[in-house]
Amino acid sequence: VFSSQYERALKQFDALRQLAPASSAVHVLLAEAYDGLSRSDEAIEELKAAIAKSPSEPNLHFAIGYIYWVQHRDDEAEREFQIEAERDPKNAQPLAWLGDIQIRRNEIQKAKVLLEKALALDPGLRIAHLDLAIVFTETRQMDRAIAELKEAIRLGPDQVDAHYRLARL
């Protein structure tokens, strides 16, 4: 059902692109449709086209980075998140996902610095709380890990990963 909706949306966005070829917003909408259809490479190309048309538009590099992150293409994701963080130092999201990449690489102290910085900017980032709990578990700070997991659960009660980690602790 959803894929047919994305297919219909894709046709509409293609028509919009022909009507407004200079619009970065059309490229962003097309990217969302492609991503929804699991056509990641095409989504990334549309986001890159949006950046070419509107280089200062926020969160486009984050969006590309997120697609790479989902695919575990961490080097490419890291590059895009870093660009977004440099362009908008008050945006906590790229810092949180950069921290997550450091967790994947087992670079615990680097992750801690990034995650704490992200949470100082936006204490509502669930992934940062979850990953900080991982940092505290690795460094044997169990009380702090439990507190971070409880906050991750409060922010995303339907997400099972924090519940599972808390039960294990």
Side-chain angles (χ1 to χ4, degrees):
V1 173
F2 290 119
S3 65
S4 66
Q5 291 172 352
Y6 284 120
E7 289 289 349
R8 281 192 299 237
L10 195 56
K11 289 177 185 173
Q12 292 299 317
F13 297 143
D14 274 333
L16 281 173
R17 183 170 43 188
Q18 290 176 9
L19 291 171
S23 172
S24 68
V26 172
H27 289 288
V28 172
L29 292 171
L30 275 164
E32 289 177 15
Y34 283 133
D35 189 43
L37 292 166
S38 299
R39 292 165 59 180
S40 301
D41 290 338
E42 291 164 287
I44 290 168
E45 289 308 310
E46 289 299 332
L47 288 166
K48 287 179 179 179
I51 290 168
K53 291 184 185 300
S54 184
S56 61
E57 188 170 335
N59 290 317
L60 295 179
H61 286 281
F62 178 81
I64 293 171
Y66 185 80
I67 293 169
Y68 286 140
W69 175 84
V70 167
Q71 298 174 339
H72 291 263
R73 293 167 64 181
D74 289 344
D75 291 341
E76 291 134 312
E78 181 178 42
R79 182 182 64 245
E80 296 298 330
F81 292 148
Q82 285 175 339
I83 292 169
E84 192 70 46
E86 289 168 10
R87 289 184 177 197
D88 184 3
K90 293 183 181 179
N91 186 348
Q93 283 190 311
L95 297 174
W97 268 265
L98 284 166
D100 188 80
I101 289 170
Q102 295 307 316
I103 293 284
R104 289 180 181 182
R105 293 177 175 159
N106 203 29
E107 295 286 344
I108 300 302
Q109 290 308 313
K110 289 179 183 179
K112 183 177 186 278
V113 169
L114 289 162
L115 296 166
E116 287 177 339
K117 188 173 180 181
L119 287 173
L121 292 169
D122 182 355
L125 284 172
R126 182 189 169 283
I127 190 171
H129 288 286
L130 178 66
D131 283 348
L132 204 50
I134 294 168
V135 167
F136 290 139
T137 301
E138 289 291 319
T139 58
R140 308 269 188 239
Q141 299 174 62
M142 300 311 177
D143 289 342
R144 293 179 81 183
I146 289 168
E148 292 298 335
L149 288 169
K150 287 181 178 179
E151 184 61 11
I153 289 168
R154 186 187 72 75
L155 292 168
D158 296 338
Q159 302 291 320
V160 298
D161 51 2
H163 292 281
Y164 174 77
R165 285 183 180 279
L166 183 59
R168 293 220 28 181
L169 280 180

